[in-house]
Each structure stands twice: as structure tokens, then as C-alpha cells.
């Protein structure tokens, strides 16, 4: 098979394999290693969403709200935020107003990184298809060359067989005439 690959084919195959190897290494790495450089805002959004998306935060916030409302209900007239809990609603609204955009920024950044990884995977698949196609072409060349060589050998053997048959026939007729 080595005699079927010319220098150009070998070089092209080598380049494809090199690129595929580099991209495979990127895909195998931790996804955080292949992400684009993050800005201060990206890192802050990730920390905010990372902190909010935990049971620890949910339980702490639930405890704080229960404590806030319980304290203000028990104290009644001396409460700093009586029953409609307007101050608590204001704080929760502020929290929502700032966390929602942070969550969206983090999702946008992660979608961008996912898109980069998907493009790399697609490139690898295309290169693998190209390499498989080239290998199929090489195999077809090998098969056609082998078939040609086999046909040539069959023709040669038929010639030898015909020669032997004719010699045998000649000997047979010589024996009969003697």
C-alpha cells in the first residue's frame, strides 16, 4: 500500500492527522481549559450564578425570610418592617433585578463556549470523513491493481496451459505416428 501513496498524499494525510490530533486534545481537556478568555464581568456573573444555584443559598435565603417575617410578626408595633413587609419585598426585588441578568450573561458565555466546542467536533467529523474517503479510494486502487495483476497472471497461465496442451497433443500425435 505504501507504493500507492505519493508524497502529496502522504503530506496531506499527515496534515489532516496533525490537525485532528490537536483538536482531539482540545476536546478531551477540561471544558474550562478550552473556553475563551473571560472578562471580569463574565467571572463575576459565573460566581453569582454559582452561588445562587445551590441548596445552601436556597436554605439560607429561606431561613433569612422566615426569620425576618417571624421577628416582624412577633414584635408587632416595634417592628422595623411591619406586615406587608415592604422592605423585604424591596430587597428581594433588588436581588432578582441583579441576579437575572447575571444568569443570562453566564448562559450566553456558556452557549458561546459550547458553540466553539461543537464547531471543533464538527471539524473533526468532517476530517474523519475525508480521511475515510481517501482510505476507501486507496483501497479501491489496491483492489483494482490486484485485480489487474491477477488477470495478467491468469492470461499468462492460460498461455502456458495452451502451450503445454499443444506440446502434449504434438507428443501424442508423434507417438501415434511412430
Amino acid at each position: 500500500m505504501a507504493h500507492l501513496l505519493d508524497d502529496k498524499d502522504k503530506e496531506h494525510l499527515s496534515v489532516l492527522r496533525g490537525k485532528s490530533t490537536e483538536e482531539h486534545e482540545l476536546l478531551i481537556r477540561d471544558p474550562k481549559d478550552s473556553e475563551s478568555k473571560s472578562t471580569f464581568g463574565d467571572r463575576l456573573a459565573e460566581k453569582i450564578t454559582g452561588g445562587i444555584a445551590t441548596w445552601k443559598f436556597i436554605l439560607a435565603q429561606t431561613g433569612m425570610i422566615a426569620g425576618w417575617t417571624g421577628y416582624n410578626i412577633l414584635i408587632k408595633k416595634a417592628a422595623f418592617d411591619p406586615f406587608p413587609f415592604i422592605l423585604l419585598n424591596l430587597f428581594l426585588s433588588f436581588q432578582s433585578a441583579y441576579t437575572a441578568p447575571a444568569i443570562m450573561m453566564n448562559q450566553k458565555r456558556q452557549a458561546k463556549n459550547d458553540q466553539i466546542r461543537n464547531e471543533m467536533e464538527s471539524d473533526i467529523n468532517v476530517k474523519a470523513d475525508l480521511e475515510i474517503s481517501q482510505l476507501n479510494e486507496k483501497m479501491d486502487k489496491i483492489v483494482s491493481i490486484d485485480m489487474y495483476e491477477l488477470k495478467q497472471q491468469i492470461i499468462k497461465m492460460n498461455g502456458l496451459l495452451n502451450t503445454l496442451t499443444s506440446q502434449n497433443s504434438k507428443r501424442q500425435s508423434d507417438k501415434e505416428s511412430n
Side-chain angles (χ1 to χ4, degrees):
M1 181 172 149
H3 66 281
L4 293 176
L5 291 172
D6 59 7
D7 290 339
K8 185 179 177 184
D9 287 338
K10 287 179 184 176
E11 183 180 335
H12 183 67
L13 200 57
S14 173
V15 168
L16 277 177
R17 285 182 177 151
K19 286 181 181 177
S20 293
T21 302
E22 289 172 10
E23 289 179 347
H24 277 270
E25 288 172 359
L26 283 174
L27 290 172
I28 291 170
R29 284 189 211 152
D30 185 13
K32 290 182 179 180
D33 293 342
S34 61
E35 291 177 357
S36 58
K37 303 237 179 193
S38 57
T39 64
F40 171 74
D42 291 338
R43 289 189 303 273
L44 182 62
E46 189 168 339
K47 286 189 190 278
I48 289 171
T49 55
I52 289 173
T54 62
W55 280 106
K56 185 178 178 181
F57 175 81
I58 292 171
L59 294 174
Q61 186 167 7
T62 302
M64 185 193 77
I65 291 171
W68 182 290
T69 54
Y71 177 79
N72 284 299
I73 287 174
L74 291 175
I75 300 296
K76 293 187 182 179
K77 295 201 180 206
F80 61 89
D81 189 20
F83 169 63
F85 309 117
I86 295 172
L87 189 58
L88 177 63
N89 283 322
L90 178 67
F91 288 150
L92 292 175
S93 295
F94 276 138
Q95 178 188 352
S96 299
Y98 285 103
T99 56
I103 291 169
M104 291 170 60
M105 285 187 287
N106 193 36
Q107 287 176 337
K108 181 180 174 184
R109 187 185 60 77
Q110 286 182 349
K112 180 179 157 189
N113 290 330
D114 289 344
Q115 180 182 4
I116 291 168
R117 289 182 63 79
N118 289 340
E119 286 174 6
M120 284 191 304
E121 289 173 357
S122 175
D123 288 347
I124 287 172
N125 288 339
V126 167
K127 288 174 188 160
D129 286 344
L130 285 173
E131 195 163 333
I132 289 169
S133 174
Q134 285 182 340
L135 289 173
N136 282 334
E137 287 176 17
K138 302 295 180 195
M139 291 300 293
D140 289 344
K141 282 182 185 178
I142 290 171
V143 167
S144 66
I145 289 171
D146 285 350
M147 291 300 288
Y148 176 77
E149 289 173 356
L150 284 173
K151 285 179 184 178
Q152 293 302 316
Q153 289 176 355
I154 289 172
I155 290 170
K156 187 177 177 181
M157 289 180 154
N158 277 337
L160 289 172
L161 186 61
N162 288 338
T163 305
L164 286 174
T165 306
S166 66
Q167 286 176 356
N168 220 5
S169 297
K170 188 176 178 185
R171 284 185 192 150
Q172 198 96 63
S173 65
D174 285 346
K175 278 186 182 181
E176 288 175 7
S177 56
N178 284 338

